[in-house]
Amino acid sequence: MVLKKLLQLFGIVGKKKKKDDKKKGKSIDPLSQGAAPHSTLNILAKSSHLDSCSSGAGTALPLHKYEPECSRNISMIKGVNGSEIVDYKSFNQFDVVQDYSDHHYAKTSPGNTTKDWAKTIQNEWKLLQRDLPESIYVRVYEDRIDLIRAAIVGSAGTPYHDGLFFFDIHFPPEYPRNPPKVHYRSGGLRLNPNLYESGRVCLSLLNTWTGSGSEKWGKSKSTMLQVLVSIQGLVLNDKPYFNEPAIFIPREKHSLAYNQTAFVLSCKTMLHSLQKPPKHFETIIICHFHERERAILEACGAYASGMIVGSSVRDGRTYARNKYFARFKKSLEAQTEILAKELAKNRIRALELKRDSTDEIVSTS
């Protein structure tokens, strides 16, 4: 009863939702000018400064889990070759889990925390649970409320489309006076000027790059949700080349070439996620890539044929055939072959997941 009252206090469970509260969060189109994904929340600060970096022992208060990791109402969708699989969109976008052993900040001490600190994080949880876009998934940890893991789906029209990008987050004891610590699970790849191989995320909102005013973290106005949406819409954007700090003369041809490289690295990131899925996101990874398998491989073929990375088939835009395109084509075709084999293995995992889910439903009915 004490646990239930605690969860009700922070609005996590136990309250009946109004009809409007049942609506899912809307996905965000980072290419849309002046988009306002949440009418009551100023998620993206105006003129956010997103240039990349220049080269150059206490115990956290635990919160016990309140729901299973996935929704009880499991639905099926049509995957590649018409096979039915568990719909990953039926899985909770926000959930509380236990095992944090593979989290980047697992061995980082929460520090000397306070009740106000815990309450602030609980408010962050409420905001994330209520307002997450459909293309962002979050897991928090019942024994370490200072930790979060997020998965962001790459948006259409960018070189990151259909990819899954994972971030490990830590709330320091000084939160919210200081911003959260964010680590990108890069797999050793640098696919964006703001995301380093080391996992460093360069963002003025995180105080890891220069900025002023609303561009910087503010303890009374900035949120974890704002950080995640900023990464999705402004870092993983359609022209990441222009996030480079030393770009004085914009050159579209350089941007196009950068997108080619970014897409190949995004494919490698897909492969890494399929082979080494972060804990608590295994099912989402299986279902997402099974559903998107055909679209991913078709995009690989179209780009290798000369279509501009990130554009739709209907655009009809193609690259100039030169030595740079020849190198990209060779690299992409090699990566596509490897990725296709792994996606075929994933297809088997998806069918096994469907079988296990069906057996579970039968046994509980």
Side-chain angles (χ1 to χ4, degrees):
M1 288 297 294
V2 174
L3 170 60
K4 186 175 182 181
K5 287 182 179 179
L6 176 63
L7 296 173
Q8 287 177 337
L9 175 64
F10 290 109
I12 304 297
V13 292
K15 293 183 179 180
K16 293 183 179 180
K17 294 185 177 181
K18 297 178 181 179
K19 289 184 178 181
D20 291 340
D21 293 335
K22 294 181 180 179
K23 295 180 181 178
K24 290 185 176 180
K26 296 180 180 179
S27 58
I28 292 173
D29 181 4
L31 305 182
S32 174
Q33 303 248 343
H38 303 275
S39 58
T40 61
L41 193 67
N42 182 19
I43 292 178
L44 292 175
K46 294 180 180 179
S47 304
S48 294
H49 199 79
L50 280 163
D51 290 331
S52 65
C53 290
S54 55
S55 338
T59 302
L61 301 175
L63 182 72
H64 298 290
K65 65 181 180 179
Y66 59 91
E67 287 184 13
E69 186 175 340
C70 61
S71 170
R72 292 177 182 271
N73 298 319
I74 298 175
S75 60
M76 298 290 178
I77 59 171
K78 292 291 183 180
V80 68
N81 298 331
S83 59
E84 279 191 336
I85 60 168
V86 178
D87 182 1
Y88 75 97
K89 292 177 182 176
S90 69
F91 287 80
N92 294 334
Q93 287 181 265
F94 177 93
D95 215 337
V96 180
V97 295
Q98 293 184 345
D99 186 3
Y100 56 87
S101 58
D102 71 330
H103 197 283
H104 179 75
Y105 295 104
K107 295 181 180 179
T108 299
S109 171
N112 297 318
T113 59
T114 65
K115 289 184 179 179
D116 286 342
W117 172 86
K119 185 175 181 180
T120 300
I121 293 176
Q122 297 288 355
N123 288 334
E124 290 280 16
W125 285 19
K126 287 176 61 178
L127 187 62
L128 289 168
Q129 185 183 35
R130 187 186 70 212
D131 291 333
L132 273 176
E134 291 181 358
S135 50
I136 299 179
Y137 295 85
V138 166
R139 295 295 179 263
V140 297
Y141 301 86
E142 67 172 280
D143 294 325
R144 286 287 302 272
I145 68 170
D146 61 308
L147 304 181
I148 288 181
R149 173 166 290 163
I152 296 176
V153 181
S155 300
T158 75
Y160 309 107
H161 66 81
D162 296 313
L164 280 174
F165 305 93
F166 293 90
F167 298 84
D168 285 355
I169 298 138
H170 164 63
F171 293 114
E174 303 81 18
Y175 190 82
R177 187 172 69 255
N178 291 343
K181 306 291 184 183
V182 180
H183 174 85
Y184 168 55
R185 298 178 68 92
S186 69
L189 302 172
R190 177 82 181 277
L191 47 64
N192 186 284
N194 299 82
L195 305 176
Y196 280 64
E197 299 98 319
S198 63
R200 180 177 174 82
V201 178
C202 281
L203 197 64
S204 56
L205 188 57
L206 295 174
N207 293 348
T208 52
W209 184 246
T210 57
S212 61
S214 61
E215 299 166 354
K216 302 284 284 184
W217 178 266
K219 68 176 183 178
S220 61
K221 60 182 177 62
S222 301
T223 66
M224 191 64 241
L225 178 61
Q226 183 182 3
V227 170
L228 295 176
V229 174
S230 294
I231 291 173
Q232 183 186 51
L234 300 175
V235 173
L236 298 169
N237 62 31
D238 61 326
K239 295 182 179 180
Y241 173 76
F242 296 112
N243 285 355
E244 289 280 8
I247 303 300
F248 301 109
I249 303 177
R251 295 185 183 277
E252 189 66 23
K253 66 177 182 179
H254 293 160
S255 176
L256 293 174
Y258 191 97
N259 280 7
Q260 291 175 336
T261 302
F263 181 74
V264 173
L265 293 176
S266 182
C267 288
K268 290 183 178 181
T269 301
M270 295 179 195
L271 184 66
H272 181 77
S273 296
L274 285 162
Q275 294 175 338
K276 297 181 179 180
K279 287 182 183 295
H280 310 298
F281 287 87
E282 297 90 343
T283 299
I284 292 174
I285 288 172
I286 291 172
C287 296
H288 171 81
F289 285 115
H290 187 59
E291 182 188 350
R292 301 304 300 164
E293 176 182 349
R294 179 173 296 168
I296 291 168
L297 294 179
E298 285 180 352
C300 288
Y303 299 155
S305 298
M307 196 172 80
I308 299 289
V309 169
S311 63
S312 68
V313 176
R314 282 172 285 186
D315 290 341
R317 294 181 296 157
T318 58
Y319 292 105
R321 301 307 180 97
N322 52 37
K323 62 180 180 180
Y324 301 107
F325 175 77
R327 282 202 295 265
F328 163 67
K329 177 181 171 68
K330 182 178 180 180
S331 176
L332 179 57
E333 287 179 339
Q335 187 59 40
T336 301
E337 183 178 355
I338 298 171
L339 182 59
K341 291 179 180 178
E342 191 61 38
L343 287 171
K345 294 178 184 178
N346 186 65
R347 202 180 309 151
I348 296 173
R349 292 192 287 267
L351 293 174
E352 291 174 346
L353 179 64
K354 175 203 169 184
R355 181 195 62 204
D356 294 343
S357 298
T358 302
D359 291 344
E360 183 179 348
I361 292 172
V362 171
S363 65
T364 56
S365 60

